[in-house]
């Protein structure tokens, strides 16, 4: 029998439901049994039918085409009505043949489907049989389970009847007891939680913030365990409020770090924030607190001084802005307020510095502990927090220093610093300089804000101050009597209070702002020095007047023994003091003598050394001392504020320029000097004096109303030329024309130049590199010319100390055309030697008032001898007639002069000795030799050369030769005209 389509679908669906029920489990035995009955009621084709279907000749491709030709609607759901569908498809007019053909087609399709289903059933039949056996076995197991359940219910009924109600009550009570014990434990925990607020308050008072947070977090964790109790919800909210309160107090505790860093306190705070997991937030808050601390600190310091000076408690100052408040600081309280302001800011910056130190130390410890641990996730998070904190702290350095600079700059701009005295202004600069050093050590910044602000005010202040000091110097010079200021022989400018900073710079207790460039190899920073205590802004008050000056001698001698020994006569080698032996050097070159110093040498040394009866103390005046003090003050300002070093050194050079110009104007200006042709003033000295006169000296008596504004401004930078005091007399021969005053003035200038030379390395160290050529030029063209003023100044004395005109008159009365060789010298030689002896006595008299250094006495003797020799040549040039014997007499006179002169002075060789001897010997030259001699010796004047030719006429030179020689002299003299 061939299966139809409906039968196949029913079988398939029943098998599907059966398999699903077996997997999910049977709902009940009856239902399962009914399902099995339904399956058994189906008629399965017999083997003959399957064999008949298989034995039919088939073409698989034709069968598949038949199946594919079946309309899709036949494969729809079970509700599909095939008959109705086919009837509806019939045409209105029926055709029997077409219907039969269509019926045959349907039968063929049905046969193909039935055969396909039969093939599929045969293919799955072994699995079907196996599954059917498994279902049968399952049915047997279910029947056994039903029997077991029935027996269990029967036994339970027996047990129920065997136990009493009391036994079940005991079990219930035991269970209730266990529940109540758990409840009691929970209640005790809840009670403890409710009392934790008291303990938290105690821990907060003890500043045990980590413990308080740890306790609060544990309470919150415990509260979450008992959240099913209604009372816990309120407690949980209370704990959350407490935790927020702890965070607020923790923030307050964090703000205290900004002014007074405490390691233990900060460690607790950081541990607390770490427990909260807010280390980054803590760092942000810390920087905000530091900014606020800077503002509050400076405001409170300035407000305190303003209210103190106001003398009342008016609250109007508290409402002012900080910028406006700074304008109310009085000049008397300005410096103390600035010092306290810097002290307070130092405390804030030191706290930040120690905060960074704390984090660097603990970061290294955390790194070591993290490397030993195994929690990689926690380590990465910690490293991220640590990196964030490090960057935040490094960025905060510059930010905090900028805030400090702005606050101090605002304070400085609140008052005009020009109203302060110099010492007070230096005090302000020193404080600011030290603050800038603090900033440089704090964050490596060059303090551009403070530098620019203080530089402008310093330059303006210093210009006005320098102008006042120049006018003051002019007043001192015009009232100076050039008396010796007695100082000790060991006097040094470092002993003056103004130069104490140069010695104190070597002391570790002195402000590092005063440290010179050359310091020890290991520099200790201010933060390292004052980390444990102290304040760098308290140094100046401690060292300002700690020492007094002791540089003046009472009477020019440092002791009675020195004064007594100064007037001893040295009759033997044992009488010669060791100091003199030690000091016997060439004062021109500074070299020691090649040979040992003998007694005779020392005795001869006394001829020209007029300082044996005086202590070898520096020669200077009160004005010189004042100039040196000014230089010290200028260097203080330059050392404190290096950006204005060039301006300060320029003003220092003007002090020296004006002093040098004044000495030259008072004692060295003489137009007749240059006419001598001796080159007393070098070209460098003349250039220096001209430069000073053009750049510094105001030669105009009164201002020209028609002058331009630029010219008026230029004149403000200049100083009127000084005038010598009328108390200084330079015309008396008894005092050698003011020689004592000239020595004091000139040697004080030389001493001042020596001090500038001593200070050159220090000035060079602070001078900017681009400005160093100015400093080098100042020293090479100005300071080094100070000693050159000796020649023109002492030349004036030498020119008046000897009566050279009288000597010319005596020489004019001598008869030189003698016929025989004379053995006696002329009287003019004796007269000239007497003049020198008198000059020597006068020098000794002057040396009793003022020590005359050996270079000075040598210059004086050199000038006098040079003038005497030139006067002798001039006297010989005035001779009308002279014989060979007369020339011999000239040589005799000059040799007698030299012999006696060498006993008065130890200057060797005698200046211009060859000048005289060469002129005398030229008389004997032939015509050709004399012409060559005239061309080679241009140091003689035209008059002297002409007279030499005229005197030789008739003896060995004829008229023709005379005309030739005179023409040669005229050729030499022509360029000079």
């Amino acid at each position: 029998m061939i299966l139809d389509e409906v039968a196949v679908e029913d079988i398939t669906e029943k098998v599907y439901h059966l398999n699903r029920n077996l997997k999910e489990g049977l709902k009940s035995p009856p239902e399962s049994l009914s399902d099995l009955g339904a399956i058994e009621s189906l008629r399965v084709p017999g083997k003959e039918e399957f064999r008949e279907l298989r034995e039919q000749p088939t073409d698989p491709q034709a069968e598949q085409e038949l199946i594919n030709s079946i309309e899709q609607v036949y494969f729809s759901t079970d509700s599909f009505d095939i008959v109705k569908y086919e009837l509806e498809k019939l045409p209105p007019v029926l055709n029997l043949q077409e219907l039969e053909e269509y019926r045959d087609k349907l039968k063929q399709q049905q046969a193909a489907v039935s055969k396909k289903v039969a093939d599929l059933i045969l293919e799955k039949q072994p699995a079907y049989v196996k599954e059917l056996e498994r279902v049968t076995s399952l049915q047997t197991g279910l029947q056994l389970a039903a029997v077991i359940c029935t027996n269990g219910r029967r036994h339970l009924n027996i047990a129920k009847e065997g136990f009493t109600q009391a036994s079940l009550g005991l079990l219930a009570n035991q269970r209730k007891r266990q529940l109540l014990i758990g409840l009691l434990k929970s209640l005790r925990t809840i009670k403890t939680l409710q009392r934790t607020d008291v303990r938290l308050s105690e821990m907060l008072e003890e500043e045990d913030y980590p413990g308080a947070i740890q306790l609060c977090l544990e309470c919150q964790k415990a509260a979450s365990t008992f959240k099913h109790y209604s009372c816990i919800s309120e407690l949980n909210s209370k704990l959350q409020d407490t935790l927020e309160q702890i965070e607020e107090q923790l923030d307050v505790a964090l703000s205290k770090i900004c002014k007074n860093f405490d390691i233990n306190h900060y460690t607790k705070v950081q541990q607390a924030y770490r427990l909260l997991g807010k280390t980054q937030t803590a760092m942000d808050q810390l920087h905000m607190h530091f900014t606020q601390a800077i503002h509050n600190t400076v405001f409170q310091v300035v407000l305190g001084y303003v209210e103190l000076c106001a003398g009342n408690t008016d609250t109007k100052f508290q409402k002012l802005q900080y910028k406006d408040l700074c304008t109310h600081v009085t000049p008397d309280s300005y410096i103390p307020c600035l010092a306290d302001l810097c002290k307070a800011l130092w405390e804030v910056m030191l706290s930040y510095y120690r905060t960074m130190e704390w984090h660097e130390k603990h970061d290294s410890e955390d790194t070591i502990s993290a490397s030993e641990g195994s929690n990689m996730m926690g380590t990465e998070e910690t490293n991220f927090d640590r990196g964030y904190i490090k960057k935040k702290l490094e960025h905060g350095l510059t930010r905090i220093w900028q805030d400090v600079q702005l606050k101090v700059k605002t304070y400085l701009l609140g008052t005009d610093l020009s109203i302060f005295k110099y010492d007070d202004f230096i005090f302000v600069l020193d404080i600011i300089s030290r603050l800038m050093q603090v900033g440089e050590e704090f964050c490596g910044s060059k303090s551009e804000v403070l530098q620019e602000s203080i530089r402008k005010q310093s330059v303006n202040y210093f210009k006005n101050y320098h102008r006042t000091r120049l006018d003051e110097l002019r007043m001192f010079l015009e009232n100076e009597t050039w008396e010796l200021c007695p100082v000790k022989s060991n006097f040094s400018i470092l002993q003056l209070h103004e130069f104490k900073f140069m010695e104190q710079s070597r002391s570790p207790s002195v402000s590092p702002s005063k440290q010179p460039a050359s310091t020890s190899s290991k520099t200790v920073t201010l933060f390292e020095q004052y980390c444990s205590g102290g304040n760098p802004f308290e140094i100046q008050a401690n060292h300002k007047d700690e020492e007094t000056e002791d540089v003046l001698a009472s009477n020019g001698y440092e002791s009675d023994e020195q004064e007594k020994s100064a007037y001893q006569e040295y009759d033997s080698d044992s009488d010669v003091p060791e100091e003199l032996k030690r000091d016997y050097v060439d004062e021109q070159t500074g070299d020691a003598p090649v040979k040992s110093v003998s007694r005779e040498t020392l005795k001869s040394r006394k001829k020209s050394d007029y300082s044996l009866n005086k202590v070898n103390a520096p020669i200077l005046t009160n004005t010189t001392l004042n100039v040196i003090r000014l230089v010290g003050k200028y260097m203080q300002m330059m050392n404190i504020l290096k950006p204005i070093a060039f301006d300060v050194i320029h003003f220092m050079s003007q002090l020296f320029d004006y002093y040098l110009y004044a000495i030259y104007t008072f004692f060295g200006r003489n137009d007749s000097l240059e006419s001598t042709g001796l080159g007393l003033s070098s070209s460098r000295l003349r250039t220096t004096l001209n430069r000073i006169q053009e750049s510094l000296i105001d030669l105009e008596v009164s201002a020209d109303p028609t002058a331009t504004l630029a010219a008026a401004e230029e004149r403000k930078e200049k100083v009127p030329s000084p005038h010598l005091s009328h108390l200084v007399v330079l015309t008396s021969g008894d005092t050698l024309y003011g020689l004592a005053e000239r020595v004091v003035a000139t040697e004080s200038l030389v001493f001042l130049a020596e001090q500038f030379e001593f200070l050159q390395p220090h000035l060079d160290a602070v001078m900017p590199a681009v400005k160093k050529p100015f400093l080098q030029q100042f020293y090479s063209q100005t300071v080094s010319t100070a000693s050159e003023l000796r020649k023109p100044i002492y030349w004036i004395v030498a020119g008046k100390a000897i009566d050279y005109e009288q000597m010319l008159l005596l020489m004019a009365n001598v008869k030189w055309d003698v016929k025989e060789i004379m053995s006696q010298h002329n009287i003019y030689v004796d007269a000239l030697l007497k003049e020198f002896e008198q000059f020597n006595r006068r020098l000794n008299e002057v040396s009793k008032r003022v020590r005359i250094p050996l270079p000075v006495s040598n210059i004086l003797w050199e000038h006098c001898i040079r003038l005497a020799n030139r006067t002798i040549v001039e006297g010989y040039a005035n001779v009308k007639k002279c014989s060979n014997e007369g020339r011999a007499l000239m040589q005799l006179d000059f040799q007698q002069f030299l012999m006696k002169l060498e006993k008065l002075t130890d200057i060797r060789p005698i200046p211009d000795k060859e000048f005289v001897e060469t002129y005398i010997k030229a008389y004997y030259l032939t015509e050709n030799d004399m012409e060559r001699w005239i061309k080679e010796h241009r140091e003689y004047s035209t008059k002297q050369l002409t007279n030499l030719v005229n005197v030789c006429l008739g003896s060995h030179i004829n008229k023709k030769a005379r005309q030739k020689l005179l023409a040669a002299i005229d050729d030499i003299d022509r360029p000079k005209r």
Side-chain angles (χ1 to χ4, degrees):
M1 179 179 178
I2 299 175
L3 294 174
D4 59 354
E5 182 181 1
V6 176
V8 174
E9 290 181 356
D10 288 342
I11 292 173
T12 305
E13 184 176 2
K14 293 295 183 180
V15 173
Y16 169 76
H17 285 297
L18 179 60
N19 289 332
R20 185 183 63 182
N21 291 335
L22 289 176
K23 292 178 181 180
E24 295 179 356
L26 296 175
K27 299 180 181 178
S28 62
E31 185 179 355
S32 301
L33 294 175
S34 64
D35 290 339
L36 291 174
I39 294 174
E40 290 178 349
S41 63
L42 293 174
R43 186 177 63 86
V44 181
K47 294 182 179 180
E48 291 81 3
E49 293 176 342
F50 281 118
R51 189 180 305 113
E52 182 181 352
L53 289 173
R54 285 198 304 271
E55 291 177 354
Q56 291 179 1
T58 58
D59 184 3
Q61 185 176 359
E63 289 181 356
Q64 187 63 36
E65 290 178 356
L66 284 174
I67 294 173
N68 292 339
S69 65
I70 298 174
E71 295 183 19
Q72 192 65 30
V73 70
Y74 284 97
F75 299 100
S76 60
T77 59
D78 295 341
S79 60
F80 175 65
D81 190 351
I82 300 174
V83 177
K84 182 179 178 181
Y85 175 74
E86 290 298 336
L87 292 175
E88 288 177 353
K89 285 175 58 179
L90 294 175
V93 179
L94 298 176
N95 188 341
L96 181 59
Q97 185 178 355
E98 291 178 357
L99 287 175
E100 288 178 353
E101 291 177 356
Y102 183 68
R103 184 192 61 183
D104 295 338
K105 179 183 178 181
L106 289 176
K107 286 182 178 182
Q108 291 175 359
Q109 289 178 349
Q110 182 183 9
V113 170
S114 298
K115 188 174 184 303
K116 185 69 174 178
V117 172
D119 292 340
L120 291 175
I121 290 174
L122 290 176
E123 182 181 351
K124 302 294 183 180
Q125 186 175 7
Y128 169 77
V129 174
K130 186 177 178 180
E131 185 68 20
L132 189 61
E133 292 175 355
R134 183 172 167 272
V135 170
T136 304
S137 175
L138 180 62
Q139 182 179 8
T140 304
L142 290 175
Q143 290 174 353
L144 180 61
V147 173
I148 293 172
C149 290
T150 302
N151 292 334
R153 289 177 180 176
R154 186 175 65 254
H155 286 95
L156 284 175
N157 289 331
I158 296 172
K160 182 178 180 182
E161 293 174 357
F163 285 99
T164 62
Q165 190 72 26
S167 298
L168 295 176
L170 287 175
L171 294 175
N173 290 335
Q174 177 64 21
R175 181 174 178 273
K176 186 181 295 184
R177 180 175 178 273
Q178 294 296 332
L179 292 174
L180 289 175
I181 290 173
L183 178 61
L184 181 61
K185 185 177 180 181
S186 299
L187 291 175
R188 287 174 179 172
T189 305
I190 293 172
K191 183 179 180 181
T192 304
L193 292 176
Q194 290 178 338
R195 292 180 178 178
T196 52
D197 56 343
V198 178
R199 178 56 185 158
L200 286 173
S201 300
E202 294 175 355
M203 297 178 77
L204 290 177
E205 290 178 0
E206 297 170 359
E207 295 185 348
D208 186 9
Y209 303 108
I213 292 176
Q214 185 69 31
L215 178 59
C216 190
L217 293 176
E218 290 177 357
C219 290
Q220 282 188 330
K221 184 177 180 181
S224 63
T225 306
F226 303 103
K227 62 183 179 180
H228 50 280
Y229 296 104
S230 59
C231 60
I232 289 299
S233 59
E234 182 180 352
L235 177 62
N236 207 5
S237 176
K238 185 178 181 181
L239 288 174
Q240 185 63 34
D241 294 340
T242 304
L243 188 60
E244 293 177 358
Q245 181 182 356
I246 293 175
E247 289 189 24
E248 292 176 359
Q249 294 194 22
L250 195 60
D251 189 61
V252 174
L254 187 64
S255 66
K256 295 179 181 179
I257 299 296
C258 301
K259 293 184 180 180
N260 187 14
F261 183 86
D262 181 78
I263 294 179
N264 296 329
H265 181 76
Y266 189 68
T267 302
K268 291 179 181 180
V269 172
Q270 283 296 322
Q271 289 176 352
Y273 273 111
R274 189 172 296 179
L275 288 173
L276 291 174
K278 296 183 177 181
T279 53
Q280 295 185 15
T281 304
M283 192 51 55
D284 296 337
Q285 287 294 108
L286 181 63
H287 281 80
M288 184 187 70
H289 288 314
F290 268 105
T291 302
Q292 190 66 27
I294 292 173
H295 175 76
N296 293 340
T297 299
V298 297
F299 187 85
Q300 291 301 323
V301 170
V302 176
L303 178 64
Y305 275 91
V306 170
E307 290 182 345
L308 179 64
C309 296
N312 54 45
T313 57
D314 193 351
T315 58
K316 68 176 183 179
F317 295 117
Q318 298 180 357
K319 300 177 182 179
L320 294 177
Q321 295 291 328
Y322 173 72
K323 180 179 180 181
D324 299 328
L325 187 65
C326 292
T327 60
H328 290 80
V329 179
T330 61
D332 294 337
S333 62
Y334 184 85
I335 293 179
C337 181
L338 177 61
D340 287 346
L341 192 68
C342 292
K343 289 178 185 178
L345 291 172
W346 160 261
E347 295 297 337
V348 175
M349 297 171 72
L350 179 61
S351 295
Y352 194 89
Y353 175 82
R354 297 186 66 186
T355 301
M356 290 194 66
E357 274 191 337
W358 186 94
H359 281 280
E360 289 175 0
K361 178 181 177 182
H362 284 73
D363 284 351
S364 60
E365 294 177 356
D366 293 344
T367 302
I368 295 174
S369 61
S371 62
E372 297 174 355
S374 59
N375 189 357
M376 296 301 296
M377 186 65 70
T379 302
E380 291 179 0
E381 184 177 354
T382 303
N383 290 337
F384 177 78
D385 289 343
R386 189 159 54 242
Y388 176 84
I389 291 173
K390 183 178 180 181
K391 290 182 179 179
K392 191 75 175 179
L393 286 172
E394 291 175 351
H395 176 71
L397 285 171
T398 306
R399 178 182 173 185
I400 288 176
W401 175 234
Q402 289 295 329
D403 290 343
V404 170
Q405 286 190 92
L406 291 175
K407 296 300 181 184
V408 177
K409 177 185 177 182
T410 303
Y411 180 82
L412 292 175
L413 295 177
T415 304
D416 184 8
L417 299 182
S418 62
I419 64 176
F420 291 111
K421 296 180 179 179
Y422 180 82
D423 291 338
D424 293 334
F425 186 75
I426 287 294
F427 196 98
V428 172
L429 286 187
D430 190 36
I431 293 176
I432 299 302
S433 175
R434 199 173 299 118
L435 181 63
M436 289 192 293
Q437 183 183 1
V438 169
E440 186 171 353
E441 294 178 1
F442 184 68
C443 63
S445 172
K446 295 300 182 181
S447 310
E448 293 83 1
V449 176
L450 275 179
Q451 278 189 4
E452 186 63 25
S453 175
I454 200 65
R455 185 185 184 281
K456 291 180 179 178
Q457 297 194 59
S458 298
V459 171
N460 293 333
Y461 179 91
F462 200 63
K463 278 186 178 180
N464 297 330
Y465 179 80
H466 175 66
R467 175 65 195 189
T468 305
R469 298 290 79 78
L470 280 179
D471 292 337
E472 189 178 87
L473 177 59
R474 179 172 67 91
M475 181 189 68
F476 284 151
L477 289 170
E478 291 181 343
N479 291 277
E480 179 64 65
T481 57
W482 305 104
E483 295 291 336
L484 186 65
C485 177
V487 295
K488 292 186 176 182
S489 60
N490 63 346
F491 170 75
S492 169
I493 61 173
L494 298 179
Q495 298 169 353
L496 297 177
H497 175 72
E498 288 77 8
F499 290 90
K500 289 294 181 183
F501 72 94
M502 296 183 68
E503 285 188 343
Q504 290 173 349
S505 61
R506 305 184 185 97
S507 174
S509 62
V510 176
S511 166
S513 66
K514 297 180 178 180
Q515 294 286 349
S518 57
T519 56
S520 59
S521 58
K522 184 178 180 181
T523 303
V524 179
T525 65
L526 291 175
F527 289 96
E528 295 172 346
Q529 185 177 354
Y530 297 101
C531 186
S532 58
N535 196 302
F537 297 97
E538 295 175 350
I539 296 299
Q540 177 127 348
N542 297 336
H543 292 269
K544 188 173 182 181
D545 295 317
E546 61 181 2
E547 295 182 4
T548 57
E549 295 178 350
D550 184 19
V551 297
L552 298 179
S554 58
N555 57 356
Y557 303 97
E558 297 184 25
S559 65
D560 295 337
E561 289 75 11
Q562 288 182 351
E563 183 174 6
K564 182 179 179 181
S565 63
Y567 290 98
Q568 288 181 349
E569 294 293 336
Y570 309 120
D571 295 329
S572 64
D573 289 342
S574 61
D575 293 332
V576 179
E578 291 298 326
E579 180 180 358
L580 183 56
K581 294 180 181 179
R582 189 167 58 250
D583 292 342
Y584 184 59
V585 296
D586 188 346
E587 297 194 18
Q588 295 288 355
T589 63
D591 297 329
V594 177
K595 297 181 180 180
S596 61
V597 182
S598 65
R599 178 184 175 207
E600 289 75 14
T601 305
L602 288 173
K603 286 186 176 182
S604 64
R605 173 68 179 267
K606 292 165 59 180
K607 299 173 186 176
S608 57
D609 192 348
Y610 299 91
S611 61
L612 293 179
N613 59 341
K614 291 289 181 181
V615 177
N616 191 21
I619 299 176
L620 66 158
T621 65
N622 289 326
T623 303
T624 314
L625 206 56
N626 286 331
V627 172
I628 293 175
R629 291 183 186 276
L630 274 179
V631 170
K633 291 182 177 181
Y634 284 23
M635 289 187 64
Q636 284 181 21
M637 179 176 290
M638 175 183 61
N639 217 42
I640 292 172
L641 196 62
K642 291 181 175 59
I644 66 169
F646 171 72
D647 301 288
V648 175
I649 293 177
H650 175 66
F651 293 148
M652 284 173 56
S653 68
Q654 288 187 347
L655 292 177
F656 187 86
D657 288 348
Y658 194 72
Y659 194 87
L660 183 147
Y661 185 83
I663 300 300
Y664 172 76
T665 304
F666 293 165
F667 304 105
R669 176 174 288 176
N670 192 333
D671 296 335
S672 63
L673 293 179
E674 303 304 326
S675 63
T676 62
L678 298 179
L680 297 175
S681 298
S682 65
S683 60
R684 184 176 61 168
L685 178 59
R686 291 193 299 272
T687 302
T688 299
L689 292 171
N690 291 334
R691 177 188 61 78
I692 296 173
Q693 182 171 298
E694 293 175 1
S695 62
L696 188 61
I697 306 302
D698 184 9
L699 299 176
E700 299 182 19
V701 178
S702 59
D704 185 3
T706 61
T708 62
L709 181 62
E713 290 295 328
E714 184 180 355
R715 289 194 64 223
K716 286 183 180 180
E717 304 294 330
K718 295 184 177 182
V719 188
S721 179
H723 301 285
L724 183 64
S725 171
H726 66 279
L727 299 176
V728 181
V729 179
L730 303 179
T731 57
S732 174
D734 295 335
T735 62
L736 278 179
Y737 305 95
L739 178 61
E741 290 80 1
R742 294 176 189 272
V743 169
V744 171
T746 307
E747 298 312 306
S748 68
L749 174 63
V750 174
F751 177 78
L752 184 61
E754 292 173 352
Q755 306 316 304
F756 269 84
E757 293 283 357
F758 170 73
L759 296 173
Q760 183 178 5
H762 191 86
L763 299 178
D764 190 67
V766 297
M767 176 67 97
V770 294
K771 300 295 185 180
K772 285 188 178 181
F774 167 80
L775 185 65
Q776 296 171 356
Q777 183 180 5
F778 167 66
Y779 272 93
S780 62
Q781 297 184 6
T782 305
V783 176
S784 61
T785 61
S787 60
E788 296 181 11
L789 273 180
R790 283 171 171 167
K791 285 188 176 181
I793 291 176
Y794 297 135
W795 178 271
I796 297 175
V797 176
K800 297 179 180 180
I802 306 295
D803 192 353
Y804 304 104
E805 295 295 333
Q806 180 65 25
M807 187 176 67
L808 286 175
L809 293 176
L810 292 175
M811 292 179 70
N813 295 327
V814 176
K815 186 177 180 182
W816 300 103
D817 54 349
V818 295
K819 300 300 182 181
E820 59 183 15
I821 297 177
M822 307 296 292
S823 60
Q824 180 66 30
H825 60 273
N826 289 301
I827 60 173
Y828 75 88
V829 176
D830 296 329
L832 182 59
L833 290 172
K834 286 182 180 179
E835 290 285 336
F836 275 101
E837 290 173 356
Q838 184 180 4
F839 172 71
N840 191 24
R841 287 194 298 272
R842 289 178 180 176
L843 278 180
N844 280 313
E845 291 296 325
V846 173
S847 67
K848 295 178 181 179
R849 289 181 52 198
V850 177
R851 178 178 66 87
I852 301 179
L854 183 60
V856 176
S857 62
N858 286 341
I859 290 176
L860 285 169
W861 277 99
E862 180 183 347
H863 283 343
C864 290
I865 295 172
R866 193 181 300 277
L867 283 171
N869 287 335
R870 290 182 178 269
T871 303
I872 290 174
V873 172
E874 187 67 21
Y876 292 160
N878 292 332
V879 175
K880 302 298 182 182
K881 294 180 180 181
C882 182
S883 61
N884 291 335
E885 292 78 6
R887 287 293 172 181
L889 181 58
M890 290 181 182
Q891 290 184 344
L892 176 64
D893 291 343
F894 186 63
Q895 292 302 322
Q896 179 69 16
F897 171 70
L898 291 178
M899 181 181 65
K900 296 293 184 179
L901 182 64
E902 288 176 352
K903 295 180 180 180
L904 294 175
T905 180
D906 55 1
I907 293 180
R908 301 294 184 275
I910 298 298
D912 281 354
K913 176 183 175 182
E914 294 80 4
F915 184 79
V916 180
E917 291 177 343
T918 303
Y919 188 80
I920 295 173
K921 293 176 182 179
Y923 177 80
Y924 303 103
L925 297 176
T926 61
E927 174 187 345
N928 295 331
D929 293 337
M930 182 169 289
E931 182 179 2
R932 184 173 61 255
W933 183 89
I934 289 173
K935 293 179 180 180
E936 293 176 353
H937 293 78
R938 300 190 179 189
E939 66 270 19
Y940 299 100
S941 66
T942 302
K943 173 189 172 183
Q944 294 168 350
L945 295 175
T946 303
N947 179 267
L948 181 63
V949 173
N950 291 332
V951 170
C952 292
L953 179 64
S955 59
H956 56 280
I957 296 179
N958 55 33
K959 291 184 178 180
K960 183 177 180 181
R962 172 178 174 271
Q963 294 297 329
K964 181 179 179 182
L965 293 174
L966 290 178
I969 295 173
D970 187 63
D971 292 338
I972 295 173
D973 185 57
R974 188 176 294 110
K976 299 180 182 179
R977 300 190 210 129

